[in-house]
Amino acid sequence: MSARYRVLVVGMGKRGAHHASAFHANPRFSVAGLADVDPARLKDAAKYGDARTGTDAATLARELRPDVFCFCTPPTIRLDLVRLGVESGARLIAFEKPVAMSSAEAMRIRDLLAGSRAMAVVSHQHRYGEHYRKVAEIVASGALGRVHTVYATATGWMLHMASHLIDYLRWYNGGAEAQWVMGQAAGRGKLSDLHSSPDYLAGFIQFANGVRGVLECGAGAPDVPEVDYWWRKCRIGAQGTDGYAEVLTGGGWRAVTRTGISSGPGSMNYDLDMPGYIQDMAYWLDDETKVHPCNFASAYKGHEIMMGLVRSALQGGQVALPLASGMDEIAQLKEKLPASRVLLSASANAKEYGA
Ligand SMILES: NC(=O)c1ccc[n+]([C@@H]2O[C@H](COP(=O)([O-])OP(=O)(O)OC[C@H]3O[C@@H](n4cnc5c(N)ncnc54)[C@H](O)[C@@H]3O)[C@@H](O)[C@H]2O)c1
């Protein structure tokens, strides 16, 4: 029988529960431990087998020495938890997006992982949605001809949504390297959110294969009227010489190619997306050549694009990638972003960003 990997899940809020549940349901994993600073979040631990529980992740990590160190905590404590994962000796560290709160932190995480034996994945699990996959399939089939543009929009704000958008936009562009970005940012409202962000970020990405990336995230991003649920108002797609294909996070997929118009169902669904995401961790742990689609190296490149766009907004002009040195982009935004109120694209955004 294949090895059963022992998992410690740290942070048992919404996403921690999704992870614990998916690990528990997969015969290749057993949930050995669950940690949360809030003991109330551990009351359902029995649902995930006979896991040990505790409020101190470091103690549990030291005592359990898990194969997989998974954390689903707020975005403000990434580096410390990656360090804990590395020190625990885990072979795989699985954590939530965004990769980090700044390029400086992301670089420290990258260096820490590079100096360790741990592989790492970041939860861009929308990739497992049938509608997301269908678009990837159409792009890869060549049905769009020569792809020249990839694009992504979301009405949710940057540190929640841009990480997802950029990951899928890079996917639809075959993982090509980004050479430079140029962006703009507006609105200070969400700078005080835990997922601290400008209310609106927009910009362009130059990819090495000549493809143009276009990203919009937040208050000024276009509405996706086909989708009712606000957090799923995301449109991600690719345009080529022979047509286009796009996914709506909460509204299926559609394509127009030389052979006609087609469309199909799909809506982001954690229950459907998590099993494949978790199973690919087992495949990677079993065989190092079966690299997880949501691997850290790829997520890091996406994070660089996001922070490059913010730097461009701060400093003006184009920003060359890869970034040569780190900075705290959010702290700089807090200092420099003008006070003028963000302008909305649609009334649907008024609830979150004000009228
Ligand atoms: N991939 C996705 O689709 C997706 C969706 C929603 C949220 N997220 C991300 O997941 C992360 C968590 O979001 P959430 O909605 O589950 O938040 P949440 O607030 O529901 O849960 C976070 C949990 O972490 C615990 N915690 C905080 N500090 C801790 C520490 N030092 N040690 C142990 N536990 C600690 C909190 O008590 C809380 O229970 C965020 O980064 C968010 O951006 C991802």
Side-chain angles (χ1 to χ4, degrees):
M1 181 182 146
S2 309
R4 205 172 157 108
Y5 300 109
R6 295 166 60 256
V7 188
L8 169 60
V9 181
V10 178
M12 281 299 292
K14 171 177 137 175
R15 291 294 293 149
H18 293 162
H19 278 79
S21 174
F23 279 121
H24 181 57
N26 187 312
R28 299 301 314 286
F29 295 96
S30 64
V31 181
L34 299 169
D36 199 297
V37 286
D38 176 0
R41 295 284 170 109
L42 299 169
K43 68 177 175 11
D44 291 331
K47 283 208 299 207
Y48 312 113
D50 56 358
R52 278 184 54 194
T53 58
T55 52
D56 181 24
T59 305
L60 270 187
R62 210 169 29 246
E63 292 176 5
L64 291 171
R65 311 282 300 168
D67 300 303
V68 178
F69 181 91
C70 169
F71 66 93
C72 306
T73 52
T76 42
I77 46 170
R78 293 286 187 265
L79 178 61
D80 287 350
L81 284 170
V82 171
R83 186 175 293 114
L84 195 56
V86 166
E87 286 168 2
S88 78
R91 285 186 55 207
L92 189 146
I93 300 174
F95 62 107
E96 265 302 345
K97 46 60 49 175
V99 164
M101 294 292 286
S102 67
S103 60
E105 186 187 27
M107 285 175 186
R108 291 178 71 190
I109 291 172
R110 176 197 63 189
D111 296 346
L112 191 57
L113 289 169
S116 82
R117 68 194 277 270
M119 30 189 155
V121 298
V122 178
S123 190
H124 292 126
Q125 83 289 344
H126 294 197
R127 277 176 180 252
Y128 293 83
E130 58 167 329
H131 50 330
Y132 276 80
R133 286 178 165 238
K134 184 67 189 179
V135 171
E137 219 177 277
I138 293 168
V139 174
S141 75
L144 304 184
R146 180 183 62 79
V147 171
H148 50 73
T149 306
V150 287
Y151 56 93
T153 77
T155 49
W157 53 103
M158 182 185 88
L159 276 187
H160 270 299
M161 298 309 295
S163 186
H164 281 300
L165 296 182
I166 297 169
D167 195 69
Y168 312 134
L169 172 153
R170 290 185 64 251
W171 179 29
Y172 293 163
N173 189 26
E177 298 295 328
Q179 294 180 319
W180 55 258
V181 294
M182 191 167 80
Q184 262 297 353
R188 299 182 60 89
K190 293 299 181 193
L191 284 174
S192 51
D193 188 76
L194 196 59
H195 289 74
S196 188
S197 308
D199 292 334
Y200 180 40
L201 176 77
F204 303 105
I205 307 157
Q206 168 71 17
F207 287 103
N209 60 358
V211 170
R212 165 68 65 250
V214 184
L215 178 91
E216 285 190 73
C217 197
D223 187 17
V224 179
E226 301 93 320
V227 176
D228 291 330
Y229 185 42
W230 190 80
W231 283 105
R232 297 189 186 158
K233 287 178 175 287
C234 312
R235 187 187 301 274
I236 308 154
Q239 295 171 347
T241 48
D242 293 347
Y244 82 96
E246 66 180 22
V247 62
L248 309 182
T249 300
W253 63 274
R254 73 277 320 275
V256 179
T257 67
R258 261 198 297 201
T259 55
I261 302 172
S262 51
S263 62
S267 184
M268 201 280 277
N269 181 326
Y270 293 114
D271 292 339
L272 299 178
D273 297 347
M274 290 303 288
Y277 173 65
I278 297 292
Q279 179 57 43
D280 277 343
M281 293 185 204
Y283 290 144
W284 198 16
L285 282 159
D286 288 347
D287 178 348
E288 288 191 359
T289 65
K290 294 191 176 147
V291 177
H292 198 292
C294 302
N295 63 85
F296 173 82
S298 172
Y300 176 84
K301 288 179 184 174
H303 191 265
E304 242 184 354
I305 290 174
M306 172 167 50
M307 289 303 164
L309 287 165
V310 175
R311 281 195 202 193
S312 168
L314 284 162
Q315 299 165 354
Q318 294 159 291
V319 171
L321 297 179
L323 298 173
S325 58
M327 79 182 254
D328 186 341
E329 288 83 2
I330 302 292
Q332 290 289 309
L333 279 174
K334 286 180 176 165
E335 215 174 283
K336 295 183 180 152
L337 197 62
S340 36
R341 197 162 187 153
V342 74
L343 303 177
L344 308 185
S345 63
S347 57
N349 293 349
K351 180 171 168 280
E352 283 294 347
Y353 302 105

